[in-house]
Amino acid sequence: MTGAFLAGLVAGYGVAIPVGAIAILILGLSARTSFRVGAAAALAVATADGLYAAVAALGGAGLADVIAPVAGPLRVVAAVVLLGLAGHGLWRTLSAHRSRRSPTARAGRGMSTPGRAYAALLGLTLLNPMTVLYFTALVLGRRDTADPGMLPVALFVAGVFLASASWQLVIAGGGTVVGRALTGPRGRLVTGLLSSALIAALAVAAVLPG
């Protein structure tokens, strides 16, 4: 039983630690808004990872065959969403810089509230088909986590969620520190432009072959 939980921890950190568009989004949200918003986004990512881990653990060998045919279209959808977020972030950054006010002044829009940040990051993370394929490969490769019993599955999913949540919260905390260090208009402009550029680049990379 302990092996299933430890396998979940390892799997959760394995999928969470590589820096990608999601990590950059969480970092940018925390830097521009608050730790509460960044933490909500972090927990949304952990929720999606936990859901995909549960689907993989319960779905078994047939899951990869179901996901593979739609992996390409889902990557395109994810790239479009990321480009939209990059464009929206760029517009908000430039608008806030011109008016010399904080982007958080319009705290009811976009992803500037914990609830909206959670919903947006949950949806975006669920668009990544490679996450469920990753967990499926791990589940099929380990007899203890592939056990059809509900307790091993629950322990595996709990491990994934805790690992993902802890890492994403570290990223959110780092974004808060960065945000406090760059509180001036020029600092917000630079970080906003950099965040939008990185997200747009990752969106393009998501649909490139290879």
Side-chain angles (χ1 to χ4, degrees):
M1 297 300 178
T2 304
F5 179 74
L6 292 177
L9 284 177
V10 172
Y13 282 122
V15 77
I17 286 177
V19 175
I22 297 298
I24 293 171
L25 276 174
I26 294 173
L27 193 70
L29 276 174
S30 295
R32 293 191 303 271
T33 57
S34 68
F35 178 72
R36 287 182 60 214
V37 175
L43 292 177
V45 175
T47 300
D49 287 343
L51 288 173
Y52 268 153
V55 170
L58 295 172
L63 187 60
D65 293 334
V66 175
I67 295 295
V70 297
L74 283 178
R75 279 196 296 269
V76 172
V77 172
V80 170
V81 172
L82 286 171
L83 285 174
L85 289 172
H88 180 69
L90 177 63
W91 175 79
R92 291 192 63 195
T93 296
L94 295 177
S95 176
H97 183 70
R98 285 195 298 266
S99 62
R100 299 298 185 188
R101 64 183 177 182
S102 168
T104 60
R106 303 161 66 179
R109 298 188 177 183
M111 291 185 288
S112 297
T113 64
R116 294 186 181 189
Y118 183 91
L121 266 294
L122 177 63
L124 184 59
T125 309
L126 288 175
L127 285 174
N128 183 9
M130 301 311 296
T131 303
V132 72
L133 293 177
Y134 165 81
F135 285 126
T136 300
L138 289 178
V139 167
L140 296 179
R142 292 183 60 94
R143 292 181 59 86
D144 53 353
T145 56
D147 189 324
M150 291 305 296
L151 183 56
V153 169
L155 289 172
F156 178 73
V157 173
V160 168
F161 177 84
L162 289 176
S164 180
S166 62
W167 182 256
Q168 306 300 343
L169 287 171
V170 167
I171 293 175
T176 303
V177 173
V178 171
R180 288 174 180 171
L182 299 172
T183 55
R186 182 170 297 180
R188 291 195 188 99
L189 176 64
V190 171
T191 55
L193 292 176
L194 181 60
S195 175
S196 295
L198 287 171
I199 292 170
L202 289 164
V204 173
V207 294
L208 291 178

